[in-house]
Amino acid sequence: MTKRLFAALALGAAIASAAMLPQPTAAQTYKPEYKVSTVLGAPFPWGVSAQRWADLVRERSQGRINMKVYPGAQLVGGDQTKEFTAMRQGVIDMAVGSTINWSPQVPQLNLFALPFLMPDHAAIDAITGGDAGRQLFDIIGSKDVVPLAWGENGFRELSNSKRDVRTPADLKGLKIRVVGSPLFNETFTALGANPTQMSWADAQPALSTGAVDGQENPLAVYVAAKLNTVGQKHLTLWGYVADPLIFAVSKPVWDTFSAEDQKLLRETALEAGTYSKHLARTGITETDPATLKAIEALGVTVIRLTPAEQKAFQDATRTVYDKWKARIGAPLVDAAEKAVAARK
Ligand code: X2X
């Protein structure tokens, strides 16, 4: 018998006898650390809520599950649109990810980027908490990522360094940084702007050198990132899209946890998700007069649109909405529209 054949037989015998041993109970082994990817870290609400999830898990698992937040999409070299793929592959264990950044791999998540679909927070909740939200979680779940809870990055407002933007004509020729799927390019192109895709890491230097004129992000991001210091002195409150966050675990990693640990991860994600929405809606927001005053005190012009002015932006992007409704899947978008119409 050759050495190699003998080794193979011995290995086979070892496996066979191991299989016959009684299965040890609670044989769960944990990684020394579970890496949680985010784009923004503390003090941004996004990072704060991700840290809350990690803290709750550590506490309730008596330290068995040790989660560490890695902001700046650093686990994917800063390229936030690669986060979902890295999770699928198990390169990233967990994430609190944005629907915008995952939409290149999960096209249905473009739902939230349909311009002017969601007029208020109740509309977001009606979608995420209803049939459309369930469909989206099923789709994500079919792609090796286990979604556990919704959070929120917030309504995205428009800023630029050149001029007050009150009408689509005012946007003409402005270079606007966007991220995510081509839907964003098409929306800004329809408005006459020159959109350009780049990561958040690249956006800040591009704004400060004037390589781009403007950007769109929640006010909490505008303030915490001090975008007024990179020339963003014109701020238009138009609330054209809102970006929910998703608390999720990579499926290959999820499968290593006991049912009990899975329950713990889900419950804590739901709590941290509620906290995330709370932060996004009660902190630095467009509905808080003190926030707007503080921004104006920095020498920024804050432009509040009348309903008629806002409608002009909606009308100018309607063809993009219709085209992407078909791409995303009309039944899913119908479910979302119905939920918005029926919201309390
Ligand atoms: O890059 C952005 O604009 C940010 C931070 O809002 C997202 O990750 C979608």
Side-chain angles (χ1 to χ4, degrees), residues 79-340:
D79 189 349
Q80 61 209 61
T81 59
K82 300 276 156 60
E83 187 180 69
F84 190 84
T85 304
M87 276 194 97
R88 290 192 78 162
Q89 296 166 341
V91 174
I92 290 175
D93 300 312
M94 300 164 179
V96 180
S98 137
T99 60
I100 295 175
N101 297 330
W102 290 5
S103 64
Q105 292 83 33
V106 189
Q108 294 88 346
L109 288 176
N110 281 301
L111 173 69
F112 299 104
L114 286 175
F116 303 100
L117 166 65
M118 299 179 292
D120 48 34
H121 293 134
I124 306 174
D125 290 342
I127 293 175
T128 56
D131 183 37
R134 270 189 299 278
Q135 286 186 46
L136 289 169
F137 269 20
D138 285 347
I139 292 162
I140 293 168
S142 73
K143 294 178 187 270
D144 305 319
V145 171
V146 181
L148 300 176
W150 295 97
E152 197 154 297
N153 191 23
F155 277 101
R156 299 177 75 86
E157 312 297 0
L158 178 70
S159 73
N160 83 91
S161 60
K162 295 285 189 209
R163 56 181 173 260
D164 290 358
V165 171
R166 199 173 276 286
T167 67
D170 296 330
L171 257 172
K172 193 162 174 51
L174 291 185
K175 276 184 250 132
I176 305 293
R177 173 269 174 177
V178 294
V179 70
S181 79
L183 168 51
F184 285 89
N185 296 61
E186 291 183 28
T187 296
F188 281 90
T189 302
L191 293 169
N194 293 332
T196 174
Q197 283 269 341
M198 69 184 76
S199 70
W200 175 244
D202 291 340
Q204 293 165 92
L207 289 167
S208 75
T209 60
V212 296
D213 303 316
Q215 63 88 48
E216 42 79 69
N217 248 300
L219 286 194
V221 178
Y222 177 94
V223 170
K226 300 188 171 62
L227 294 186
N228 60 297
T229 66
V230 290
Q232 298 296 292
K233 297 285 193 185
H234 309 269
L235 183 59
T236 301
L237 306 182
W238 65 339
Y240 82 125
V241 302
D243 183 24
L245 301 175
I246 299 172
F247 290 67
V249 178
S250 163
K251 180 81 166 53
V253 175
W254 179 255
D255 289 341
T256 66
F257 289 111
S258 67
E260 198 185 328
D261 282 343
Q262 290 177 350
K263 183 162 173 269
L264 187 158
L265 284 163
R266 187 183 300 278
E267 284 172 359
T268 50
L270 285 165
E271 281 181 45
T274 300
Y275 182 55
S276 165
K277 281 178 258 183
H278 170 78
L279 289 177
R281 294 175 187 190
T282 62
I284 297 169
T285 67
E286 43 285 277
T287 51
D288 174 36
T291 290
L292 301 183
K293 250 201 180 142
I295 294 174
E296 281 169 334
L298 299 169
V300 177
T301 313
V302 178
I303 295 133
R304 302 152 173 88
L305 301 180
T306 64
E309 284 171 334
Q310 202 198 34
K311 186 163 181 301
F313 286 99
Q314 184 169 6
D315 290 346
T317 52
R318 189 70 218 183
T319 51
V320 178
Y321 186 110
D322 293 340
K323 173 181 162 189
W324 279 79
K325 176 172 179 173
R327 275 207 191 175
I328 291 163
L332 176 63
V333 180
D334 282 337
E337 288 171 348
K338 249 194 178 154
V340 171

